[in-house]
Amino acid sequence: MPDKNGHFGEFGGCYVPETLRGLLFDLEKEFAACWKDPAFKKEFRFYLEEYAGRPTRLYYAERLSRQLKTLKVYLKREDLLHTGAHKVNNTLGQILVARRMGKRRIIAETGAGQHGVATATVCALFGLKCVVYMGSEDIKRQAMNVVRMKLMGAEVVSVESGSKTLKDAMNEAIRDWVTNVKDTYYLIGTVAGPHPYPYMVRELQSVIGIEARRQFWRKEKRLPDYLVACVGGGSNAMGLFYPFHKDKGVHIIGVEAAGHGIHSGAHSAAICAGRPGVLHGCKSYLLQDKNGQVTNAHSVAAGLDYPGVGPEHSYFSQIGVAEYVGITDKEAIDALKALSQIEGIIPALESSHAVAYLPKLARRVKGLKTVIVCLSGRGDKDMGTIAEVLNGE
């Protein structure tokens, strides 16, 4: 749990304009009341199960496991959810909170488009106005998700500032929110941003780990040796990790986007190569220059192309609860092709970073170990990028 000011150790907090402080305090109180209310929990569970398709499967990847030899791999199939990724867990929870607060206009930021699609989906479900901010570079590489958002009635605002990716989309969403606080709810898509968002999104996404724990115990009669998940802002990873974070025998590994390589400077590995700073209302590890200015991130996966990370991940790294590693663009693409051909499952480029770490983990371990990998999304949205790679080979 964060402290009363929203800090996880030194990380987190609420660094926002005065215009938003009262609104965030109201949101904190409203979510706390919702999370204690059995009627809210029942409604949330109804939509998770009947609409989104929970529980998701914990699939034993037998052929992949045989190839790796020292790992018995289970895939937590968040890619099978409605909208194609874990993002809908969070948007369903937050939209129910927004309705209780009387908000009729919902704004969101998106990188890979999956959070934008999930937000547009729940706004359509409940008849609310939806505006999604998306960097123009991400609009180009995630064109199919833009069509999906518009089809469901969302307004997609192209952001032309900065690197024209997720960081800049979030900047614009915050500017909108500051000027439209009365009727607008900002539905943040990850475990970042000002308090109470990191805590709130973690609680809503923890359904991943709660299910995985129960499912794994049923299959193996014990807990897994390892958990592996990709980390951009880090909501799928925190959703898997948190329900296990006090289990000393479970080794937790977050996989960041190393882009063209950590030493190239073109990457998104905020924990592996960043240092503490403040961005988008919270303190966490950030990519910065020597003057403390936030630098541009890079990843072939639009959903990982962010120069920061959730504050609780920063805290987990600092206190040794979790280990964070980097995987390059090439390694992720190779893993996407490998899982597609070995298991007939096409993962999202984001999830492919987690899959790509498995051969490295297999070389580290002694004996046969078990691992749960969060397959956070499916790769349909990435076919344009993959087609370019395959055509260039």
Side-chain angles (χ1 to χ4, degrees):
M1 289 286 290
D3 67 18
K4 64 180 180 179
N5 296 313
H7 286 93
F8 304 91
E10 70 174 281
F11 301 104
C14 188
Y15 301 89
V16 296
E18 287 299 320
T19 317
L20 297 178
R21 283 194 174 272
L23 189 64
L24 287 164
F25 180 69
D26 290 344
L27 176 58
E28 181 184 5
K29 288 197 301 182
E30 187 68 38
F31 181 72
C34 288
W35 213 231
K36 291 176 183 176
D37 182 356
F40 177 89
K41 289 281 190 72
K42 183 179 180 181
E43 187 177 22
F44 181 42
R45 172 56 60 183
F46 171 82
Y47 285 108
L48 285 177
E49 293 178 356
E50 299 297 324
Y51 187 72
R54 302 212 71 91
T56 58
R57 299 289 184 242
L58 186 68
Y59 169 70
Y60 171 45
E62 185 175 1
R63 293 191 69 230
L64 178 62
S65 299
R66 283 207 305 266
Q67 188 175 92
L68 292 169
K69 296 180 181 177
T70 59
L71 293 178
K72 190 173 184 182
V73 180
Y74 286 90
L75 303 176
K76 183 59 173 158
R77 298 291 308 275
E78 297 298 292
D79 60 311
L80 296 179
L81 283 171
H82 179 44
T83 76
H86 69 291
K87 294 294 187 180
V88 74
N89 302 324
N90 172 49
T91 59
L92 280 170
Q94 284 202 57
I95 206 74
L96 296 177
V97 175
R99 287 172 72 222
R100 286 201 177 197
M101 296 180 76
K103 305 297 183 181
R104 301 296 303 171
R105 179 176 179 266
I106 309 298
I107 62 173
E109 83 298 329
T110 197
Q114 287 303 110
H115 175 60
V117 168
T119 302
T121 299
V122 297
C123 285
L125 177 64
F126 292 108
L128 302 176
K129 181 177 174 60
C130 181
V131 179
V132 178
Y133 288 90
M134 190 172 189
S136 59
E137 281 300 312
D138 291 337
I139 284 176
K140 291 176 189 174
R141 56 182 173 172
Q142 300 292 339
M144 186 172 71
N145 274 344
V146 175
V147 173
R148 294 169 75 192
M149 285 183 268
K150 290 181 176 179
L151 185 62
M152 287 182 285
E155 177 188 353
V156 181
V157 179
S158 178
V159 177
E160 303 292 339
S161 59
S163 61
K164 305 175 186 178
T165 56
L166 181 57
K167 170 177 69 72
D168 313 291
M170 200 164 184
N171 289 340
E172 292 303 316
I174 291 172
R175 288 190 185 101
D176 181 321
W177 196 27
V178 168
T179 55
N180 296 286
V181 293
K182 279 192 175 180
D183 69 335
T184 297
Y185 181 92
Y186 182 15
L187 207 163
I188 289 180
T190 192
V191 286
H195 180 67
Y197 283 103
Y199 163 70
M200 183 166 61
V201 177
R202 177 251 278 170
E203 291 295 278
L204 296 172
Q205 289 290 5
S206 285
V207 64
I208 301 171
I210 292 168
E211 281 181 8
R213 186 187 185 92
R214 183 172 62 246
Q215 291 166 326
F216 190 89
W217 191 272
R218 193 179 301 135
K219 290 172 183 290
E220 296 283 343
K221 300 298 184 289
R222 64 185 188 90
L223 295 178
D225 297 305
Y226 291 89
L227 304 175
V228 179
C230 67
V231 176
S235 63
N236 91 93
M238 190 54 68
L240 177 63
F241 296 170
Y242 191 77
F244 292 91
H245 81 284
K246 293 183 179 179
D247 297 303
K248 293 183 179 179
V250 180
H251 303 274
I252 297 173
I253 301 173
V255 184
E256 296 191 297
H260 297 316
I262 297 292
H263 299 297
S264 72
H267 61 80
S268 303
I271 293 179
C272 293
R275 64 182 193 274
V278 175
L279 178 66
H280 296 144
C282 73
K283 183 178 181 181
S284 67
Y285 281 107
L286 304 175
L287 301 180
Q288 306 170 64
D289 64 20
K290 62 182 180 181
N291 297 315
Q293 295 299 308
V294 177
T295 57
N296 290 337
H298 162 77
S299 174
V300 69
L304 303 183
D305 197 351
Y306 182 66
V309 67
E312 197 164 11
H313 283 293
S314 298
Y315 180 59
F316 275 12
S317 175
Q318 187 180 70
I319 65 174
V321 165
E323 173 188 0
Y324 294 83
V325 299
I327 283 293
T328 66
D329 290 350
K330 183 181 184 306
E331 289 171 326
I333 290 167
D334 288 346
L336 185 151
K337 291 190 288 186
L339 191 65
S340 301
Q341 293 167 15
I342 295 169
E343 292 286 350
I345 297 171
I346 304 174
L349 277 168
E350 291 78 16
S351 313
S352 300
H353 284 71
V355 176
Y357 188 69
L358 293 178
K360 296 185 178 185
L361 179 61
R363 291 191 290 270
R364 281 176 48 180
V365 304
K366 295 180 180 179
L368 181 65
K369 302 296 183 183
T370 55
V371 56
I372 297 176
V373 180
C374 188
L375 210 65
S376 58
R378 59 177 174 255
D380 306 30
K381 67 183 180 60
D382 296 314
M383 287 304 99
T385 301
I386 297 304
E388 288 180 15
V389 171
L390 295 178
N391 290 336
E393 289 182 346

